[in-house]
Amino acid sequence: MARSTVWLCFLLFGLSVASNLRQKRQEDETESDEQSVDELCLNRPPDEYFRLSTEGDCRDVVRCDQAGENGITRLASVRCPNGLAFDIERQTCDWKTNVKNCDRVEKPRKVMPIFKTDEPVCPDGKLSCGNGECIDKELFCNDKFECKDQSDENACTVETDPNRAPDCDTNQCILPDCFCSADGTRIPGAIEPNQVPQMITITFNGAVNVDNIDLYEDIFNGLRQNPNGCQIRGTFFASHKYTNYSAVQDLHRRGHEIGVFSLTHKDDPNYWSGGTYDDWLAEMAGGRLIIERFANITDGSIIGMRAPYLRVGGNKQFEMMADQFFVYDASITAPLGRVPIWPYTLYFRMPHKCNGNAHNCPSRSHPVWEMVMNELDRRDDPTFDESLPGCHMVDSCSNIQTGDQFARLLRHNFNRHFNSNRAPLGLHFHASWLKSKKEFKDELIRFIEEMLDRNDVYFVTMLQVIQWMQNPTELTSLRDFQEWKEKCDVKGQPYCSLPNACPLTTRELPGETLRLFTCMECPNNYPWILDPTGDGFSAK
């Protein structure tokens, strides 16, 4: 079961049985019992779950609920479904074999710095550690412990980092280089919604190979055209292992956008959310180097990336991106809201709650665009059904089981965007999900063709969205929008009909022989993290 599905189970099953923990109180209930709940909840966040005991099957947790009668704090209980256990660290239900902290009752308590006091306790330019020690403000949240109690690295979220990016200032943030708005919903260029093209981005994550090339051929068959006469485009975030680089080369030739989805795609989510600058450099700049070399992409067009498992790497990821001239990230999700969010630059503070996996959003200012992933409304009947949590990848909408449900999801979310501020609608897939049932692919193609019968919908790449935002152009003038005319209607054959199938090994993956399909010359070794070119190993 995917982690997003497990989380959904937690919400649907756990919260459905959640209720105030009603203990039958005897007439002579003692005052000390009342105090015990208050003591348990003292300084504890209301959304933090904890155990009352380590006995039992690790399924039961509680949180402090202050919405009781007369403002009395009570305990609200949640129970994970059968077969699952509650992970105290990650605050979610997961398979019991994955949960290693059943012997702990609560998340470890960290010493917090003291930022707010009635009277200043530190001189100007300094802030107080949790123990009262004063250090320079810029030393907080720099990944080094300067406070003796290490509290300087414990309040570093988008909301708490004392060196965080400032709130949006539209007088300073001016297109084409900067775009922000207070709540993220403002349309670039102050264009009226009915003159904004409804852009739809279709993206795929993972390896490009024989398992999915036929799917991409079916969707992007060269015959489906946007209203400006140019073929519809998609964005492919390619991981390295098992990718056929001759196929990537042909996708690029035909005008699709290629981004980076990492070199190793390690399956340890903490590797990504806690990654160092060098980790992100090796994974993403290294992944780009491999794609450029073996897919022969020499035009500098690989400018975007997506983090595996959408595990954003905080400020380290974005520092690396700026240094390596990555233009955009496409990993941060925005919570499902009434009005969707437009992409924004990270010079100023992100305009929505840090959502998604691990909550490690960048808190500092970065010269990078965020192609935010607006969560999709997954409800079968939005006019009737109760609210459900949104889903960021289409395949994480775990209640979508039939083609009819998928069709309703597509059209309802299109209408949500089209009838409000026309922020780009992102349809993000793993190819295997679309291929899992023929009706899913058929419904997507039916939706695309239905949209193309209109004159106000464009299927574009992530870069094309940025190009439009940098030069907002009304629908009536869009047919001549030059930024969208490049590689408009590509004809012809792939660069090579029979790519080299290089059987390669590497010291880094002992015992494995992997085939590298490329129109270029075979390297000496299979490219990997310490040897991205395959020419030979760099010193460790």
Side-chain angles (χ1 to χ4, degrees):
M1 187 186 292
R3 184 162 283 111
S4 58
T5 308
V6 173
W7 174 238
L8 178 63
C9 287
F10 167 52
L11 286 164
L12 295 183
F13 291 91
L15 293 180
S16 67
V17 300
S19 61
N20 288 341
L21 190 65
R22 297 185 178 90
Q23 297 172 326
K24 293 182 179 179
R25 301 187 182 277
Q26 303 297 327
E27 292 297 324
D28 60 346
E29 185 178 35
T30 63
E31 189 174 336
S32 63
D33 287 332
E34 293 287 351
Q35 289 174 335
S36 66
V37 174
D38 290 335
E39 288 168 2
L40 279 170
C41 293
L42 184 65
N43 297 324
R44 191 186 296 274
D47 59 349
E48 180 185 307
Y49 291 91
F50 59 98
R51 305 187 216 284
L52 293 175
S53 165
T54 55
E55 297 176 1
D57 53 12
C58 200
R59 292 167 58 196
D60 295 300
V61 287
V62 297
R63 66 173 177 82
C64 298
D65 180 8
Q66 296 176 324
E69 299 171 16
N70 303 321
I72 297 173
T73 301
R74 301 201 174 177
L75 298 180
S77 66
V78 167
R79 165 169 282 199
C80 294
N82 277 328
L84 304 184
F86 193 86
D87 190 313
I88 283 289
E89 279 283 351
R90 292 186 295 114
Q91 293 281 291
T92 184
C93 295
D94 199 350
W95 295 116
K96 194 157 188 176
T97 53
N98 295 340
V99 178
K100 310 298 183 188
N101 48 45
C102 288
D103 58 342
R104 296 213 329 249
V105 295
E106 63 182 1
K107 289 179 73 173
R109 287 272 171 260
K110 294 181 178 179
V111 180
M112 304 302 285
I114 305 168
F115 291 151
K116 293 182 180 179
T117 56
D118 292 336
E119 296 291 333
V121 296
C122 294
D124 286 347
K126 293 181 181 287
L127 293 173
S128 174
C129 305
N131 59 7
E133 177 187 2
C134 293
I135 65 170
D136 291 339
K137 177 183 174 183
E138 60 264 23
L139 296 178
F140 283 81
C141 302
N142 65 354
D143 288 330
K144 298 174 186 171
F145 293 120
E146 261 93 16
C147 291
K148 290 186 175 67
D149 60 8
Q150 301 187 343
S151 60
D152 52 312
E153 300 300 315
N154 290 341
C156 297
T157 66
V158 174
E159 291 78 21
T160 60
D161 184 347
N163 299 296
R164 61 186 175 272
D167 291 339
C168 173
D169 181 348
T170 53
N171 292 320
Q172 293 187 51
C173 187
I174 300 170
L175 290 168
D177 299 320
C178 183
F179 180 74
C180 70
S181 60
D183 63 357
T185 64
R186 181 169 68 94
I187 297 172
I191 294 179
E192 289 298 317
N194 64 3
Q195 279 299 311
V196 176
Q198 179 59 64
M199 293 174 277
I200 300 178
T201 57
I202 296 177
T203 77
F204 290 94
N205 301 350
V208 176
N209 55 35
V210 68
D211 292 336
N212 47 45
I213 292 171
D214 59 333
L215 171 70
Y216 304 150
E217 290 285 346
D218 287 346
I219 297 171
F220 304 106
N221 63 1
L223 303 176
R224 300 187 177 100
Q225 294 184 338
N226 283 315
N228 63 353
C230 297
Q231 294 175 18
I232 66 172
R233 306 285 186 229
T235 301
F236 297 83
F237 294 101
S239 51
H240 170 47
K241 204 172 186 183
Y242 310 122
T243 278
N244 180 325
Y245 287 99
S246 66
V248 173
Q249 184 170 352
D250 199 55
L251 286 170
H252 174 258
R253 178 186 70 85
R254 291 162 54 191
H256 299 293
E257 183 181 11
I258 307 301
V260 187
F261 196 48
S262 83
L263 194 159
T264 68
H265 200 272
K266 279 190 183 178
D267 59 6
D268 174 11
N270 292 326
Y271 169 77
W272 303 101
S273 49
T276 65
Y277 179 99
D278 287 342
D279 290 333
W280 284 99
L281 179 68
E283 290 284 356
M284 297 303 178
R288 176 170 63 184
L289 178 65
I290 290 173
I291 297 171
E292 288 177 337
R293 179 160 181 158
F294 297 104
N296 195 26
I297 297 176
T298 58
D299 57 5
S301 62
I302 303 177
I303 58 169
M305 53 170 275
R306 177 169 283 161
Y309 312 103
L310 305 184
R311 285 277 186 158
V312 182
N315 293 310
K316 293 301 175 193
Q317 173 191 332
F318 289 83
E319 287 167 14
M320 180 283 298
M321 291 182 67
D323 290 348
Q324 295 296 316
F325 303 104
F326 280 99
V327 172
Y328 73 83
D329 169 74
S331 313
I332 296 179
T333 60
L336 181 62
R338 189 179 60 82
V339 181
I341 304 289
W342 274 86
Y344 50 86
T345 53
L346 285 162
Y347 287 107
F348 291 88
R349 179 178 170 175
M350 51 191 284
H352 57 86
K353 182 181 176 185
C354 182
N355 198 34
N357 293 336
H359 303 282
N360 193 17
C361 295
S363 59
R364 306 288 176 93
S365 177
H366 303 281
V368 173
W369 283 81
E370 182 54 50
M371 305 305 289
V372 62
M373 300 172 71
N374 285 291
E375 286 191 334
L376 300 170
D377 185 343
R378 72 173 89 197
R379 292 176 294 171
D380 258 1
D381 183 357
T383 62
F384 176 77
D385 291 349
E386 292 183 13
S387 293
L388 288 174
C391 43
H392 35 268
M393 301 286 295
V394 174
D395 35 300
S396 68
C397 304
S398 53
N399 60 314
I400 304 300
Q401 300 291 332
T402 68
D404 287 343
Q405 288 178 312
F406 182 36
R408 287 195 292 273
L409 174 97
L410 291 171
R411 285 161 184 80
H412 167 55
N413 283 283
F414 170 81
N415 289 329
R416 282 183 58 241
H417 285 245
F418 185 81
N419 294 327
S420 56
N421 64 351
R422 299 198 183 178
L425 169 63
L427 301 176
H428 311 296
F429 299 96
H430 292 95
S432 57
W433 185 86
L434 270 179
K435 294 197 72 169
S436 64
K437 291 183 181 176
K438 183 176 181 294
E439 55 189 307
F440 289 162
K441 180 191 74 174
D442 293 345
E443 287 298 342
L444 177 62
I445 290 174
R446 190 173 293 124
F447 171 75
I448 292 171
E449 293 181 339
E450 179 184 315
M451 293 297 111
L452 294 178
D453 285 339
R454 312 168 60 110
N455 64 0
D456 48 14
V457 178
Y458 286 76
F459 289 86
V460 294
T461 66
M462 293 289 194
L463 174 58
Q464 288 177 317
V465 171
I466 294 175
Q467 288 172 328
W468 185 90
M469 291 183 67
Q470 290 180 320
N471 182 15
T473 302
E474 295 189 347
L475 267 172
T476 49
S477 305
L478 208 52
R479 288 180 183 271
D480 299 317
F481 187 61
Q482 286 307 307
E483 288 86 337
W484 286 5
K485 289 290 191 179
E486 187 182 354
K487 292 187 180 178
C488 178
D489 192 13
V490 179
K491 306 291 186 187
Q493 296 300 312
Y495 287 115
C496 64
S497 56
L498 193 63
N500 294 316
C502 315
L504 300 169
T505 60
T506 171
R507 286 208 312 253
E508 298 174 83
L509 300 170
E512 289 190 62
T513 299
L514 295 153
R515 289 202 176 270
L516 182 76
F517 291 89
T518 177
C519 294
M520 311 305 287
E521 190 175 319
C522 292
N524 298 326
N525 305 300
Y526 187 73
W528 204 244
I529 195 89
L530 297 178
D531 180 22
T533 63
D535 291 335
F537 282 91
S538 55
K540 289 189 180 181

